[in-house]
Amino acid sequence: MSRNPHQGPNEAGDGTATHPPLRFGYGTNGLADLRLDDALALLADLGYDGVGLTLDHMHLDPLADDLAARTRSLARRLDTLGLGVTVETGARYVLDPRRKHGPSLLDPDPEDRARRTGLLVRAVDVAAELGAHAVHCFSGVPPAGTDEDTAWKRLAEALGPVLDAAAIAGVPLAVEPEPGHLLATLADFHTLRRTLGDPEHLGLTLDIGHCQCLEPLSPADCVRAAAPWLRHVQIEDMRRGVHEHLPFGDGEIDFPPVLEALAATGYQGLTVVELPRHSHAGPHFAERSLPFLRRAAPAPPRTHRSGEPSATH
């Protein structure tokens, strides 16, 4: 049975909405005590669709001399395991062993800002080799004594080469609003987008917990508001006003409306569990998280024996 050419891409033949199933992943920053291959095998065995790969010294070191060869090998391994991937760049000490997340895109020293820009350009190259659906990044915290206008100018200038690389590679850059950073909210993302002239390859990482933490909208409404720019999703539980990533059920988020809203957007990137501070028990939380998300997600459309979606409820 062919689809009516006049019906929407997420619409069944009877006019009811249908949504492709959500694809769930788990972040390697929550599996930091495992070798990368062990972490990937675990996620595949548990039934995850993909992985949020944080470039870091214990997994895929972005500063290693053999990065290109290791990336090619990893691409083959991901393909064998059937795992999709997003490249994430939130490693705490990958550039500086003394400064958490330093240097940032906002540092006063131009050479330091260039180091962070260079890391992100390298992440784009890795993502292109892996077939990743996005590269994640964040702005950083404004250094003491830096006025807001200067900070926004530095951010825009530092991201220029990254966006150029993303356009060449065809991999979107997905900037994450992060509590306490210069770019902390959805409104701040739109400030950056307008400042840069709304470049095609600039997208958004939406962290569902951060929505609960500080956005004026509910997490489900945040998803709907973010939909046109959504390129990557991170997910965990959280409480209002407290930036602490929590296992599912330990916070305040009502997840079924959030995942229904996400499915309704047609988003087909990965929705990645983000529990970096629970890495000491990463396998346990990886095993717990996927069944929780599947129970909370909207049910897939019923199908006839032919495999076509059913028009009945």
Side-chain angles (χ1 to χ4, degrees):
M1 182 176 67
S2 62
R3 182 174 66 83
N4 185 324
H6 299 292
Q7 74 192 47
N10 292 324
E11 188 176 305
D14 64 347
T16 59
T18 62
H19 312 306
L22 295 173
R23 301 171 62 234
F24 296 116
Y26 201 93
T28 59
N29 61 359
L31 297 168
D33 294 308
L34 275 66
R35 297 177 184 87
L36 180 56
D37 194 65
D38 290 341
L40 298 177
L42 171 72
L43 297 182
D45 287 346
L46 291 174
Y48 281 92
D49 301 294
V51 59
L53 174 65
T54 295
L55 301 183
D56 208 347
H57 64 89
M58 80 289 286
H59 287 151
L60 188 65
D61 186 349
L63 305 184
D65 292 337
D66 61 346
L67 177 63
R70 292 183 63 197
T71 302
R72 288 191 295 271
S73 177
L74 177 57
R76 292 190 294 270
R77 183 62 172 151
L78 289 168
D79 185 62
T80 298
L81 293 172
L83 292 174
V85 61
T86 305
V87 172
E88 301 191 348
T89 61
R92 294 184 178 96
Y93 294 100
V94 69
L95 288 178
D96 189 324
R98 297 175 183 270
R99 287 190 293 165
K100 182 181 177 182
H101 298 312
S104 80
L105 298 170
L106 308 178
D107 272 26
D109 186 336
E111 292 186 3
D112 274 351
R113 295 199 300 275
R115 289 175 62 202
R116 177 62 60 172
T117 295
L119 174 68
L120 296 180
V121 169
R122 186 169 287 202
V124 170
D125 293 340
V126 168
E129 182 69 37
L130 297 179
H133 72 81
V135 172
H136 147 277
C137 72
F138 44 62
S139 68
V141 177
T146 303
D147 65 85
E148 190 168 312
D149 287 345
T150 298
W152 281 108
K153 182 179 178 181
R154 287 176 184 167
L155 178 61
E157 290 178 350
L159 284 177
V162 188
L163 287 165
D164 289 343
I168 293 169
V171 178
L173 182 69
V175 180
E176 178 188 7
E178 181 80 25
H181 285 213
L182 175 69
L183 198 157
T185 65
L186 288 173
D188 293 333
F189 167 74
H190 290 299
T191 296
L192 176 65
R193 185 175 60 81
R194 289 190 295 268
T195 298
L196 291 170
D198 198 15
E200 178 183 356
H201 283 83
L202 177 66
L204 174 71
T205 292
L206 188 69
D207 187 301
I208 301 302
H210 295 173
C211 297
Q212 176 69 20
C213 179
L214 53 68
E215 292 286 355
L217 299 174
S218 71
D221 284 339
C222 285
V223 168
R224 286 184 277 268
W229 301 277
L230 203 55
R231 301 296 179 266
H232 183 41
V233 176
Q234 297 173 341
I235 193 165
E236 68 285 313
D237 217 338
M238 205 168 286
R239 301 186 183 100
R240 185 69 179 171
V242 182
H243 184 203
E244 182 183 2
H245 291 232
L246 299 172
F248 299 116
D250 288 2
E252 301 170 340
I253 299 176
D254 182 14
F255 283 96
V258 176
L259 296 179
E260 173 64 36
L262 185 59
T265 70
Y267 172 74
Q268 277 291 278
L270 291 173
T271 299
V272 172
V273 179
E274 187 81 0
L275 291 174
R277 294 188 179 181
H278 293 75
S279 192
H280 62 283
H284 167 74
F285 287 108
E287 185 174 6
R288 279 185 52 189
S289 296
L290 186 58
F292 179 95
L293 290 169
R294 286 178 170 167
R295 288 192 301 268
R302 298 181 190 178
T303 60
H304 294 300
R305 291 182 181 178
S306 66
E308 292 290 342
S310 172
T312 60
H313 294 284

